[in-house]
């Protein structure tokens, strides 16, 4: 067996057609090809799945009973396989307690740091609090001038109402003779009347000392006595000077508040010891059912998050902790003048600067050096993958798929593993060209540690930098699944059968429009946008054009378009119940009658949802089956051919076609129904045929096949044609929504909108529509988008891909940097205007394209 390569023989998973392939080890290998060609089937469903299965099989029988048996992928054999780790685009936990800090473990190190070298302050009065031994207290007092007169006092009561006769009697019985009442010394032998309606402060006079050589022992004895009587607190009244306050535990004499033990758990918002009691560590207060609230306190599971998602989305910032999630005592402990919540709210870039310039004492450096080393290393990894704009307090559920993937990538670099096979799914998603260079350098670094990287990718820069390229195709779906070419960049570019090679060599390209459309005098004007990092900006969007919003990652593009613009338009035009991001006003709404947001969220969260149901074509197909003579004779109506209602569906699986098996400690597993064998319908329904096919066989057709099959039915054919136009001819009509990528889901939504009649006064909003698309697919997508604009509509896209940017009529470039360094308009205008701007990062890369 060759040790320098991974040998795959006879891979037939999904649409793969008996693929044989040798992948060099310890190299950066890119799998590319058209969307749906079989790249992911080979990388994830074959290579990774087999690596995972072999790992599970190597465990003990006891461990395997919890993990379940994993099916062998449809491949003859794979040799030279290393332990495999998948880094995909799935978002991190939707649990509202999960943050960037907890996912990267940086927050865990921060908790350690604050517990061991944090400086405590009173959360009520802000006074510094210091825990000291008696020896340290004595040393501090001996620094006072010789002859200083000291009065050592033990605090008994501080600013509380009452008569306190029992307290005074008790200390008197112990032999003490004096007490200070509200600042005035009194004899314990005399009657000390206190007004029970007023607040009082009582301090026991333990000793009076004049500092002389040899006073150490007397000072130590008196301080110990005072600490015992004052429950760990002592006041030293230096006559003629300010009083000195000492504590052998964390408590504040000024306002009488005591503190919990300072340990890492005090800084955990997942632990009742540290979490803000008003919001249970969520940072928000929700108006939810008491039962659910109690459950939330017990465990904030993903299941529970789904149950309260609506309430959570409409929640209010906690009025007690103001979104900081922690108890006041935890927030009062500081390093470098900042609390742990303030540190967590800093961007990764600023956080690196904060720790680089942090001034610590020698003792603090000694205690914190290992923890600081880990924190700084992890921050550097996040910077390397272009995430300098994120904050540690950012909820992980709000991250895009690309951001979540790059966080996991940074974590893996931090682990320092060698000899591992890493499989990544388009890590460049959501990344500006400027940051892409850093990402590629990170991938190479992971390779240089002694690992093999298989990256499923369409990004041109990543493909060009790869050591080895595997092109799968030549087409998508049934037209793909073959190895077109495998080799270095020159070999791929020389292959005439490779679509990828043709675009890389320049033999094929996406043309730049010779003439850009000009504004028609109608505009949308956003005034005073200041949500998140937007700096009170005014933005003008010309209508009737193809408009592209660009800028580096984290510059404010999504906030401007999705949070401010889309939500405002949805509220005003579609009467949606949403709350737009902070802005003053939006002018020009009278020019529009509809807003459509085509995002990458799933078209359904269950296997029951599929492209046919989402686009509405399934309703037309069911109607066709109900009109067949056999169906009419049996009295079957439209509902008979629905797998969502009783009657025609298989009742064993309730029309799912699959059964869910709950696994211990692993995601649920779905297996085909034993009764209908995945066909979803009962025997009687499947007996009804149209042109020789039953309803289940129609659902298993690809869009391309169905388009030919229903060519005589214009209503159905038109909807299927649009799916082909957006490059989805390869997907199956009944394909489960859970198996679709974000890019595929977005294009299904786009096709659904295209099949409806346009008014010419609609604005379409798309967030990175090129996700998961090959050069050839992008060309198809652009043709469809341009068609929408030609009908008088406005298309507004957020995009980094220069193939899209170069074809836009109007560009709005945000930045100049990400996070707090962004949020302003760098330049807006034609692509030539942006390309010639000296401070635009987008312009710098666009200039090269236009010059070519």
């Amino acid at each position: 067996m060759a040790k320098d390569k991974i040998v795959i023989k006879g891979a037939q998973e999904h649409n793969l057609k008996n693929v044989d392939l040798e992948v060099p080890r310890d190299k950066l290998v890119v799998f590319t090809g058209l969307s749906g060609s079989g790249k992911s089937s080979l990388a994830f469903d074959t290579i990774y799945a087999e690596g995972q299965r072999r790992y599970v099989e190597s465990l003990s029988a006891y461990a395997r009973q919890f993990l379940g048996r994993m099916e062998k992928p449809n491949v003859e054999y794979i040799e030279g396989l290393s332990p495999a780790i998948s880094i995909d685009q799935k978002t991190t936990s939707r649990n509202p307690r999960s943050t960037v800090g907890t996912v990267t473990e940086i927050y865990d190190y921060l908790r350690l740091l604050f517990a061991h070298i944090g400086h405590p302050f009173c959360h009520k009065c802000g006074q510094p609090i210091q825990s000291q031994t008696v020896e340290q207290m004595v040393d501090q007092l001996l620094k006072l001038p010789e002859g200083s007169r000291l009065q050592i006092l033990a605090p008994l009561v501080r600013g509380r109402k009452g008569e306190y006769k029992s307290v005074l009697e008790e200390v008197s019985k112990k032999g003490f003779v004096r007490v200070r009442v509200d600042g005035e010394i009194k004899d314990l032998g005399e009657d000390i009347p206190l007004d029970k309606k007023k607040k009082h402060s009582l301090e026991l006079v333990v000793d009076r000392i004049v500092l002389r050589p040899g006073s150490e022992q007397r000072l130590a004895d008196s301080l110990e006595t005072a600490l015992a009587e004052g429950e760990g607190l002592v006041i030293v009244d230096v006559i003629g000077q300010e009083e000195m306050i000492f504590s052998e535990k964390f408590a504040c004499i000024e306002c009488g508040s005591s503190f919990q033990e300072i340990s890492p758990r005090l800084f955990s918002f997942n632990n009742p010891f540290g979490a803000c009691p008003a919001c249970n560590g969520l940072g928000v207060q929700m108006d939810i059912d008491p039962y659910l609230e109690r459950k939330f306190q017990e465990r904030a599971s993903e299941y529970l998050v789904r149950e309260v998602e609506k309430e959570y989305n409409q929640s209010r910032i906690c009025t007690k902790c103001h979104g900081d999630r922690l108890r006041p005592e935890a927030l009062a402990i500081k390093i470098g003048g900042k609390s742990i919540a303030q540190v967590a709210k800093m961007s990764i870039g600023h956080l690196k600067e904060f720790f680089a310039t942090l001034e610590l004492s020698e003792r603090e450096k000694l205690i914190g050096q290992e923890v600081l080393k880990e924190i700084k290393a992890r921050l550097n990894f996040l910077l390397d993958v272009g995430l300098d704009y994120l904050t540690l307090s950012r909820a992980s559920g709000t991250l895009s798929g690309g951001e979540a993937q790059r966080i996991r990538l940074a974590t893996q670099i931090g682990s320092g593993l060698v000899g591992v096979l890493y499989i990544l799914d388009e890590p460049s998603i959501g990344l500006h060209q400027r940051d892409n260079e850093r990402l590629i350098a990170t991938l190479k670094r992971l390779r240089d540690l002694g690992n093999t990287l298989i990256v499923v990718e369409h990004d041109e820069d990543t493909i060009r930098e790869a050591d080895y390229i595997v092109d799968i195709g030549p087409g998508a779906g049934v037209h793909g699944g073959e190895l077109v070419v495998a080799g270095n960049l020159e070999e791929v570019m020389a292959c005439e059968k490779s679509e990828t090679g043709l675009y890389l060599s320049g033999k094929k390209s996406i043309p730049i429009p010779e003439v850009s459309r000009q504004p028609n005098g109608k505009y949308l004007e956003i005034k005073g946008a200041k949500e998140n990092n937007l700096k009170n900006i005014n933005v003008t969007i010309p209508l009737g054009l193809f408009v592209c919003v660009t800028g580096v990652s984290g510059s404010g593009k999504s906030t401007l378009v999705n949070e401010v613009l889309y939500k405002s338009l949805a509220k005003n035009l579609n009467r949606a119940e949403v709350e737009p991001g902070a802005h003053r006003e939006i002018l020009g709404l009278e020019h529009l009658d509809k807003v459509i947001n085509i995002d990458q969220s799933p078209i359904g969260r269950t296997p029951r949802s599929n492209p046919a149901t989402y686009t509405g074509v399934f309703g037309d197909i069911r109607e066709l089956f109900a009109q067949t003579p056999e169906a009419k004779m049996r009295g079957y109506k439209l509902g008979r051919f629905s797998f969502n209602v009783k009657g025609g569906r298989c009742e064993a699986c309730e029309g799912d076609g699959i059964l869910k098996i709950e696994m211990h400690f692993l995601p649920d597993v779905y297996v085909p129904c034993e009764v209908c064998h995945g066909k979803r319908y009962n025997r009687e329904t499947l007996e009804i045929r149209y042109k020789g096919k039953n309803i289940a066989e129609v659902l298993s057709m690809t869009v391309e096949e169905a388009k030919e099959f229903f060519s005589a039915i214009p209503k159905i054919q038109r909807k299927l044609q649009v799916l082909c136009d957006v490059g989805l001819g390869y997907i199956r009509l009944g394909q489960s929504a859970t198996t679709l990528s974000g890019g595929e889901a977005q294009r299904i939504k786009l096709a659904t909108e295209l099949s409806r009649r346009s008014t010419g006064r609609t604005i379409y909003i798309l967030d990175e529509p090129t996700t998961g698309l090959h050069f050839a697919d992008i060309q198809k997508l652009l043709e469809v988008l341009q068609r929408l604009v030609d009908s008088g509509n406005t298309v507004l896209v957020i995009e980094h891909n220069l193939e899209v940017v170069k074809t836009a009529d109007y560009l709005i470039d945000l930045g100049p940097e990400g996070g707090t360094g962004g949020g302003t308009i760098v330049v807006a205008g034609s692509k030539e205007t942006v390309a010639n701007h000296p401070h635009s990062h987008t312009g710098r890369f666009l200039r090269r394209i236009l010059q070519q």
Side-chain angles (χ1 to χ4, degrees):
M1 185 182 77
K3 292 184 178 179
D4 60 344
K5 56 190 172 186
I6 300 168
V7 180
I8 299 110
K9 180 77 174 173
Q12 298 182 56
E13 194 70 25
H14 301 317
N15 69 330
L16 296 177
K17 295 170 183 169
N18 208 31
V19 172
D20 297 338
L21 176 67
E22 292 185 358
V23 177
R25 291 172 58 85
D26 302 332
K27 301 291 182 186
L28 172 57
V29 182
V30 166
F31 280 21
T32 189
L34 270 68
S35 307
S37 61
K39 305 181 299 297
S40 296
S41 295
L42 183 58
F44 289 96
D45 301 330
T46 304
I47 299 173
Y48 173 65
E50 178 63 5
Q52 196 178 36
R53 187 189 69 84
R54 288 188 191 177
Y55 170 70
V56 171
E57 292 297 314
S58 72
L59 300 174
S60 67
Y62 176 77
R64 287 203 306 274
Q65 71 175 329
F66 296 107
L67 295 169
R69 187 173 181 278
M70 303 189 79
E71 288 297 320
K72 185 179 187 298
N74 193 353
V75 61
E76 197 174 316
Y77 67 81
I78 302 180
E79 287 181 357
L81 204 54
S82 307
I85 293 175
S86 162
I87 306 177
D88 57 23
Q89 290 172 38
K90 289 174 185 168
T91 52
T92 42
S93 172
R94 289 169 58 79
N95 190 323
R97 296 184 186 278
S98 176
T99 66
V100 171
T102 59
V103 169
T104 57
E105 297 181 355
I106 294 175
Y107 191 78
D108 298 321
Y109 285 105
L110 283 179
R111 287 167 50 209
L112 272 174
L113 195 69
F114 273 79
H116 293 303
I117 67 169
H119 295 271
F121 292 80
C122 175
H123 65 278
K124 292 183 179 177
C125 65
Q127 291 297 315
I129 297 165
Q130 198 171 8
S131 169
Q132 292 179 307
T133 63
V134 170
E135 193 175 84
Q136 287 173 314
M137 295 175 199
V138 170
D139 289 344
Q140 200 166 338
L141 291 172
L142 289 175
K143 292 176 184 176
L144 294 169
E146 189 179 332
S148 296
R149 291 183 298 147
L150 312 178
Q151 195 164 232
I152 296 175
L153 310 164
L156 302 174
V157 175
R158 191 70 180 174
R160 297 202 306 272
K161 293 177 182 178
E163 295 179 322
Y164 299 108
K165 286 184 179 178
S166 59
V167 174
L168 295 169
E169 285 172 8
E170 192 178 331
V171 291
S172 181
K173 285 176 185 176
K174 291 180 179 178
F176 294 102
V177 293
R178 292 184 188 83
V179 68
R180 189 167 75 174
V181 180
D182 299 333
E184 188 179 341
I185 300 292
K186 292 187 180 289
D187 248 335
L188 280 169
E190 63 183 90
D191 183 36
I192 307 175
L194 296 175
D195 187 341
K196 66 180 180 182
K197 294 180 181 178
K198 288 184 178 180
K199 291 181 180 179
H200 302 286
S201 293
L202 305 181
E203 291 112 8
L204 179 66
V205 181
V206 174
D207 200 358
R208 291 177 171 182
I209 302 173
V210 177
L211 270 188
R212 292 194 176 90
S215 298
E216 291 94 334
Q217 192 57 50
R218 183 173 172 182
L219 274 173
D221 293 343
S222 298
L223 287 169
E224 282 180 3
T225 304
L227 287 167
E229 295 298 328
E231 296 183 348
L233 298 169
V234 62
I235 303 169
V236 178
D237 179 18
V238 185
I239 308 298
Q241 296 180 40
E242 284 189 8
E243 292 180 348
M244 299 173 74
I245 303 164
F246 297 109
S247 170
E248 67 176 2
K249 67 175 187 178
F250 291 108
C252 180
I253 187 64
E254 288 298 311
C255 51
S257 48
S258 60
F259 292 81
Q260 305 177 57
E261 169 200 359
I262 298 184
S263 66
R265 65 177 182 159
L266 178 62
F267 304 98
S268 171
F269 41 77
N270 293 321
N271 189 315
F273 193 82
C276 167
C279 63
N280 298 319
L282 288 170
V284 291
Q285 292 168 321
M286 297 179 290
D287 298 320
I288 61 174
D289 180 270
Y291 165 77
L292 286 178
E293 191 163 18
R294 188 169 69 253
K295 282 286 187 185
F296 233 109
Q297 291 175 19
E298 291 169 9
R299 59 182 184 91
S301 68
E302 290 200 29
Y303 142 77
L304 218 42
V305 172
R306 287 195 295 274
E307 284 199 43
V308 298
E309 200 166 50
K310 186 178 177 185
E311 289 85 352
Y312 181 69
N313 287 340
Q314 295 172 350
S315 55
R316 308 179 310 276
I317 295 294
C318 176
T319 54
K320 297 293 182 186
C321 67
H322 306 292
D324 289 340
R325 298 175 174 238
L326 296 170
R327 289 179 177 274
E329 296 93 326
L331 296 171
I333 296 166
K334 304 194 174 175
I335 290 177
K338 294 189 181 296
S339 70
I340 193 167
Q342 289 172 317
V343 168
K345 285 180 178 176
M346 296 168 75
S347 69
I348 303 294
H350 286 128
L351 206 49
K352 184 189 177 186
E353 291 175 23
F354 173 75
F355 282 113
T357 57
L358 182 63
E359 293 183 5
L360 299 173
S361 67
E362 289 304 315
R363 178 176 173 275
E364 289 168 344
K365 284 178 186 174
L366 194 64
I367 294 169
Q369 62 182 359
E370 287 303 317
V371 179
L372 283 167
K373 182 181 172 185
E374 290 291 341
I375 290 171
K376 288 175 181 177
R378 279 166 168 75
L379 291 175
N380 281 328
F381 297 144
L382 289 170
L383 288 168
D384 289 344
V385 294
L387 294 175
D388 54 310
Y389 58 92
L390 289 183
T391 63
L392 296 183
S393 60
R394 170 102 170 248
S396 58
T398 67
L399 297 169
S400 70
E403 287 169 335
Q405 187 181 23
R406 291 199 296 280
I407 282 177
R408 283 195 288 272
L409 176 60
T411 306
Q412 286 301 326
I413 299 168
S415 69
L417 291 172
V418 295
V420 173
L421 170 62
Y422 287 103
I423 302 180
L424 295 91
D425 190 6
E426 293 194 76
S428 68
I429 285 173
L431 212 54
H432 192 274
Q433 283 76 12
R434 187 200 64 170
D435 303 313
N436 208 21
E437 295 166 358
R438 285 194 291 182
L439 173 67
I440 293 167
T442 302
L443 295 175
K444 288 182 175 179
R445 187 161 150 202
L446 200 55
R447 173 202 64 189
D448 294 342
L449 284 172
N451 300 298
T452 306
L453 274 75
I454 293 178
V455 184
V456 177
E457 188 58 270
H458 295 112
D459 175 67
E460 184 176 344
D461 292 339
T462 311
I463 296 171
R464 289 184 180 279
E465 291 291 330
D467 302 314
Y468 197 76
I469 302 164
V470 176
D471 191 35
I472 305 293
V478 293
H479 306 297
E482 298 173 24
L483 177 63
V484 178
V485 61
N488 59 31
L489 181 63
E490 286 71 27
E491 288 170 313
V492 173
M493 288 196 296
C495 179
E496 293 295 327
K497 293 180 183 176
S498 168
E499 281 285 310
T500 306
L502 293 173
Y503 277 95
L504 288 173
S505 63
K507 292 171 186 171
K508 272 192 176 184
S509 64
I510 296 171
I512 300 172
E514 290 181 13
V515 180
S516 296
R517 299 179 188 87
Q518 296 303 309
N520 59 14
K522 296 176 182 176
Y523 298 90
L524 273 182
E525 291 183 70
I526 305 169
K527 302 277 191 181
K530 51 185 177 183
E531 181 74 6
N532 294 338
N533 68 332
L534 296 179
K535 297 183 170 66
N536 200 26
I537 58 174
N538 300 325
V539 185
T540 300
I541 301 168
L543 298 176
L545 301 184
F546 182 16
V547 182
C548 192
V549 180
T550 62
V552 298
S553 308
S555 58
K557 304 181 298 297
S558 295
T559 300
L560 175 67
V561 176
N562 296 330
E563 295 301 315
V564 178
L565 179 63
Y566 169 65
K567 286 186 176 179
S568 295
L569 294 176
K571 189 174 183 179
N572 286 285
L573 300 177
N574 302 355
R575 297 183 180 176
E577 292 184 8
V578 290
E579 200 52 48
H583 69 287
R584 198 163 62 251
E585 63 177 338
I586 295 184
L587 304 177
L589 295 177
E590 68 276 7
H591 303 308
L592 299 170
D593 63 1
K594 193 166 48 170
V595 59
I596 293 168
N597 186 26
I598 305 171
D599 61 18
Q600 293 186 19
S601 60
I603 60 170
R605 296 190 180 276
T606 67
R608 204 174 277 274
S609 181
N610 59 52
T613 56
Y614 189 86
T615 57
V617 74
F618 192 46
D620 301 326
I621 292 171
R622 288 192 295 123
E623 195 175 315
L624 197 63
F625 270 84
Q627 294 297 320
T628 59
E630 181 74 11
K632 284 182 175 180
M633 190 172 70
R634 295 190 186 191
Y636 291 170
K637 303 295 183 190
L638 198 67
R640 180 83 195 193
F641 301 96
S642 169
F643 47 72
N644 289 322
V645 295
K646 285 185 177 182
R649 72 183 184 184
C650 167
E651 288 305 322
C653 60
E654 296 182 337
D656 276 339
I658 52 176
L659 296 171
K660 184 172 81 170
I661 298 174
E662 293 187 1
M663 302 288 285
H664 295 284
F665 314 117
L666 280 177
D668 297 333
V669 170
Y670 293 91
V671 296
C673 171
E674 292 180 358
V675 177
C676 69
H677 305 290
K679 292 180 180 176
R680 297 179 168 223
Y681 295 92
N682 58 32
R683 192 183 307 149
E684 291 75 20
T685 307
L686 294 175
E687 287 172 355
I688 307 299
R689 294 180 176 272
Y690 172 78
K691 287 173 67 174
K693 301 279 187 186
N694 63 35
I695 190 81
E697 288 168 339
V698 168
L699 283 174
S700 67
M701 289 180 176
T702 64
V703 170
E704 210 167 46
E705 290 168 344
K707 189 185 77 170
E708 292 300 315
F709 186 74
F710 293 110
S711 59
I713 315 295
K715 190 159 68 166
I716 297 176
Q717 211 263 354
R718 192 181 76 250
K719 290 178 180 176
L720 296 175
Q721 180 61 54
V722 180
L723 282 169
C724 290
D725 290 347
V726 296
L728 291 177
Y730 62 91
I731 63 171
R732 300 194 178 275
L733 289 183
Q735 188 171 333
S736 167
T738 56
T739 66
L740 296 168
S741 70
E744 286 170 334
Q746 189 175 34
R747 280 179 287 156
I748 287 171
K749 293 176 187 177
L750 181 60
T752 306
E753 293 304 330
L754 282 168
S755 63
R756 292 174 181 152
R757 296 201 181 277
S758 168
T759 61
R761 298 179 62 209
T762 302
I763 181 167
Y764 294 89
I765 294 174
L766 296 92
D767 194 347
E768 295 196 58
T770 60
T771 298
L773 297 191
H774 186 270
F775 301 104
D777 300 310
I778 293 172
Q779 190 156 1
K780 283 184 183 176
L781 174 72
L782 286 170
E783 286 168 7
V784 169
L785 295 179
Q786 297 286 9
R787 214 161 80 199
L788 283 173
V789 182
D790 288 340
S791 300
N793 303 295
T794 306
V795 171
L796 180 67
V797 297
I798 301 169
E799 192 54 85
H800 293 118
N801 191 301
L802 291 173
E803 301 296 341
V804 176
V805 175
K806 74 181 186 183
T807 61
D809 301 314
Y810 191 87
L811 302 178
I812 299 168
D813 191 44
L814 268 67
E817 301 299 329
T820 53
T824 61
I825 302 290
V826 178
V827 58
S830 67
K831 42 187 169 280
E832 290 77 16
T833 303
V834 173
N836 293 322
H837 195 279
H839 304 301
S840 168
H841 291 299
T842 304
R844 179 159 48 97
F845 289 93
L846 184 59
R847 191 157 54 245
R848 296 179 199 167
I849 295 279
L850 297 182
Q851 285 169 353
Q852 287 172 6

